Amino acid sequence: MPDTPDTREEPVADEPLLDVDPSLPISAHADEIAGLIRDNQVVVVAGETGSGKTTQLPKICLRLGRRSIGHTQPRRIAARSVAERLAEEMGVELGDAVGYQVRFTRRATRRTRVKVMTDGVLLAEVNHDRQLRRYDTIIIDEAHERSLTIDFLLGYLKQLLPSRPDLKVVITSATIDTARFAEHFAAPDGTPAPVVEVSGRGWPVEIRYRPPDEGDDPDMPAAIVSAVRELGPSGDVLVFLSGEREIKDAAAALAAADLGPGTEVLPLFARLFAAEQHRVFAAHTARRIVLATNVAETSLTVPGIRFVVDTGLARISRYSARTKVQRLPIEPISRASADQRAGRCGRVGPGVCLRLYSQEDYLARPEFTEPEILRTNLASVILRMAGAELGDIRDFPFIEAPDRAQIADGLRLLDDVSEAGPGGLVNGSDPRDMGFRQDDRPVVDDVVGGDDAPPKCADLHGFIAHESDSVTTPDVRQPRSGRLLPHTTRAESRFRSAHPARRCSMRDTARLTSRSTRADGAAPPFHSRPSPTGRTATRRPRSTRIGRNMPLLAGQMRRSPSSSVRQVRSL
């Protein structure tokens, strides 16, 4: 039975602690936003970075009497920092009225009223709470990033809202293509969801273009040092780079340069330890230079920034249909992302954004970043939808649906690795009856391409689940011996016909494989040999030996089937 919101008479906090910060631009629209949330099921709040929408919207919802709020963030670092800031502003202890949950870490209880989490955590909760009954309000923050998980959530919420009329959904986005979100959540009569525009802080930002002179292979660390010197000896600087390796190179170049006494250089990326991340937000007196990936583009607001140096590059996950490889190349960012980076300065006074590329290069770039679902292999998407029982990918209400060529390529890959079987997903068979349970895959709760870490593989068979420093991630491939466990299909079919109410797991398949293959005369995948104790010992035949990239399957094939055979005989 799914959890329901805790309704015990325990106040979230005193009423004064729920006041909206009057210094933030969103305070001027607080009453308007509260009225729209009260009268509509879906509200889109569009605002520039630093407008206060992330931290103040939960307080507005609590003032309306909402009791259990789920607040999503695209990155773990953002979920932790937002929860800490909310708890500080509301005067409560982190983990009580305000908590957070990310992969491997949970600081929330049943008394928690505002739970900040990554998008992947909320999507994982759909598996055991189909109606999301534990929440009466859901805030999807930074929806403009259009990660795969965000698109899943927006599509699922569109299906869920008619059956949950008490649920309120707030979509927050930068001022990027907000009409698409409003039309996606349009009322049955076609009326788009209401949109509230919240302006950012009004200090002007000067844009300067300083392309390096080296041409196609510029010395970016040297260009960054030159840009920092141009900006003067005082004022905090935020430098956007494409990844952790580039941050280390720039930090070494800045340390070798003479930038004045007391200048502090700090890195900021998703895989950084929490204590190191907190140093960026701590109070300081000397000049500070923050070297960050695009986690500081919209998810986090680094305080006190007067200047921005933009390299115009980021790691963006992209699938190559020709090579069948999911890559993470360094690519130029879109104009919308460049504008977001420039908006990070000018919060405390007039700012300067120094772009290390030409104005012609800026104007030639695409307006928006392509959504992740249009640049990834859909095999993982299909499996995730199958595990969460979200239906056919061709009927799912994505904001921007993939074309049929992508879908066919994903289904072809699944058929190649024997995951779906011949036509298994195409003909509407229950995906849970496939030999491998996909709903047990680890939660993926970071935006793919949001940092220099490679995309987490969908782990189609549990073969590849890594988080290395390599730039490319190999796609799932067959072992040289051919299909995985050639006789598995017959074993599963026999098991399901005899026990239609049970799910055929990998262990059941291992139990039945040797029996089924001996019955039809085929070579069994396990060979038996007597042991001194009289018990049956096993070894793997040469044709099915698995390399070091297949630890999960290799471990299952080492299991002794002696106890399993006795259980099978009792069926």
Side-chain angles (χ1 to χ4, degrees):
M1 180 177 179
D3 295 336
T4 55
D6 194 346
T7 57
R8 287 177 288 182
E9 296 297 328
E10 182 178 343
V12 177
D14 295 334
E15 187 66 23
L17 297 181
L18 297 181
D19 290 340
V20 178
D21 188 348
S23 64
L24 296 173
I26 197 175
S27 61
H29 304 268
D31 294 338
E32 178 188 2
I33 294 173
L36 290 174
I37 294 175
R38 182 176 54 249
D39 301 335
N40 299 273
Q41 197 170 9
V42 181
V43 176
V44 179
V45 179
E48 298 178 2
T49 56
S51 60
K53 57 186 185 297
T54 297
T55 56
Q56 306 307 307
L57 280 175
K59 292 195 264 186
I60 294 175
C61 293
L62 289 173
R63 294 173 63 182
L64 288 174
R66 313 306 293 180
R67 303 284 295 174
S68 182
I69 301 171
H71 191 178
T72 70
Q73 292 291 323
R75 297 178 177 86
R76 286 171 284 177
I77 179 177
R80 288 193 296 263
S81 62
V82 168
E84 292 169 355
R85 179 65 180 269
L86 271 173
E88 179 183 356
E89 291 188 3
M90 294 173 57
V92 297
E93 184 179 354
L94 182 63
D96 189 13
V98 177
Y100 74 91
Q101 181 178 353
V102 299
R103 185 173 49 169
F104 309 132
T105 305
R106 174 186 171 93
R107 292 192 63 180
T109 65
R110 289 185 61 85
R111 297 189 303 274
T112 299
R113 299 292 184 263
V114 180
K115 179 181 174 183
V116 187
M117 66 195 114
T118 54
D119 306 313
V121 169
L122 181 60
L123 186 62
E125 292 185 7
V126 172
N127 292 332
H128 54 81
D129 185 5
R130 304 294 297 177
Q131 296 288 311
L132 295 176
R133 291 290 182 184
R134 68 176 60 187
Y135 305 110
D136 59 20
T137 307
I138 293 178
I139 302 174
I140 306 295
D141 203 4
E142 309 295 350
H144 63 272
E145 295 203 0
R146 297 292 306 280
S147 68
L148 197 57
T149 311
I150 289 177
D151 277 6
F152 271 135
L153 287 175
L154 296 179
Y156 185 76
L157 290 174
K158 181 178 176 65
Q159 293 179 326
L160 178 64
L161 288 176
S163 60
R164 283 287 311 274
D166 61 314
L167 180 65
K168 301 290 186 180
V169 176
V170 181
I171 310 295
T172 75
S173 170
T175 54
I176 300 176
D177 206 12
T178 55
R180 188 183 294 272
F181 297 112
E183 294 171 359
H184 180 71
F185 289 99
D189 59 356
T191 305
V195 179
V196 180
E197 297 281 351
V198 179
S199 62
R201 301 179 188 266
W203 295 102
V205 176
E206 178 187 356
I207 306 295
R208 302 177 188 175
Y209 294 92
R210 297 291 186 271
D213 299 330
E214 288 80 0
D216 296 335
D217 189 18
D219 185 0
M220 197 59 70
I224 292 172
V225 172
S226 176
V228 170
R229 285 175 172 165
E230 179 182 343
L231 294 173
S234 62
D236 291 354
V237 182
L238 176 61
V239 183
F240 284 99
L241 295 114
S242 55
E244 179 180 351
R245 184 178 306 170
E246 290 74 18
I247 287 177
K248 292 180 179 178
D249 293 342
L254 290 170
D258 184 13
L259 299 177
T263 300
E264 187 179 18
V265 179
L266 297 178
L268 179 62
F269 50 90
R271 297 196 303 170
L272 197 64
F273 291 113
E276 295 294 325
Q277 294 172 359
H278 290 161
R279 292 180 58 194
V280 176
F281 306 99
H284 62 285
T285 55
R287 190 189 195 192
R288 176 173 289 176
I289 301 174
V290 180
L291 307 178
T293 61
N294 55 358
V295 298
E297 189 175 303
T298 56
S299 299
L300 298 172
T301 299
V302 181
I305 296 298
R306 294 290 301 270
F307 309 107
V308 166
V309 177
D310 180 15
T311 61
L313 302 172
R315 291 193 183 273
I316 300 176
S317 174
R318 194 170 298 279
Y319 176 73
S320 173
R322 183 180 62 85
T323 60
K324 306 298 182 183
V325 170
Q326 188 81 24
R327 303 176 300 115
L328 200 61
I330 298 176
E331 296 183 358
I333 60 176
S334 64
R335 297 201 305 270
S337 296
D339 294 340
Q340 287 292 319
R341 293 182 176 187
R344 283 314 195 181
C345 60
R347 305 298 179 191
V348 296
V352 176
C353 175
L354 205 153
R355 292 172 174 168
L356 302 183
Y357 48 94
S358 65
Q359 186 174 9
E360 292 76 13
D361 185 8
Y362 168 78
L363 296 175
R365 299 186 179 195
E367 184 178 4
F368 303 114
T369 303
E370 189 178 22
E372 185 184 354
I373 195 171
L374 301 182
R375 48 184 169 85
T376 190
N377 178 256
L378 293 185
S380 62
V381 178
I382 295 170
L383 286 181
R384 293 178 69 180
M385 293 185 65
E389 299 180 5
L390 298 180
D392 195 320
I393 186 174
R394 290 162 293 196
D395 301 327
F396 191 75
F398 287 110
I399 289 185
E400 195 168 346
D403 57 35
R404 293 192 175 273
Q406 284 183 281
I407 297 175
D409 187 63
L411 291 171
R412 191 179 305 111
L413 175 60
L414 292 179
D415 184 67
D416 288 344
V417 297
S418 302
E419 181 63 35
L425 286 177
V426 179
N427 296 331
S429 63
D430 188 353
R432 295 173 301 171
D433 288 338
M434 303 171 193
F436 303 89
R437 294 181 58 184
Q438 294 304 322
D439 52 351
D440 292 336
R441 297 278 73 83
V443 175
V444 177
D445 59 0
D446 270 349
V447 172
V448 174
D451 208 323
D452 56 322
K456 284 80 174 176
C457 256
D459 192 12
L460 303 186
H461 274 301
F463 295 165
I464 302 175
H466 57 79
E467 195 173 61
S468 65
D469 289 329
S470 60
V471 176
T472 60
T473 301
D475 210 337
V476 176
R477 281 290 171 266
Q478 289 289 85
R480 293 182 180 275
S481 58
R483 286 185 177 272
L484 303 173
L485 293 179
H487 308 289
T488 299
T489 304
R490 284 193 294 272
E492 291 178 359
S493 300
R494 180 172 298 183
F495 184 89
R496 287 198 296 268
S497 62
H499 306 278
R502 287 188 58 186
R503 177 183 296 181
C504 185
S505 65
M506 295 182 71
R507 180 171 295 184
D508 296 324
T509 300
R511 295 171 184 170
L512 291 172
T513 301
S514 58
R515 183 185 183 191
S516 63
T517 53
R518 285 196 297 268
D520 60 13
F526 293 91
H527 295 299
S528 301
R529 57 180 173 84
S531 65
T533 60
R535 300 174 64 87
T536 301
T538 63
R539 65 179 176 85
R540 289 175 290 152
R542 186 177 301 275
S543 61
T544 57
R545 289 180 183 174
I546 307 301
R548 61 181 179 180
N549 289 333
M550 313 293 188
L552 178 62
L553 183 59
Q556 290 173 351
M557 294 182 68
R558 295 191 192 102
R559 294 173 180 165
S560 173
S562 57
S563 59
S564 301
V565 171
R566 289 195 296 270
Q567 296 180 25
V568 170
R569 289 173 179 171
S570 65
L571 295 177

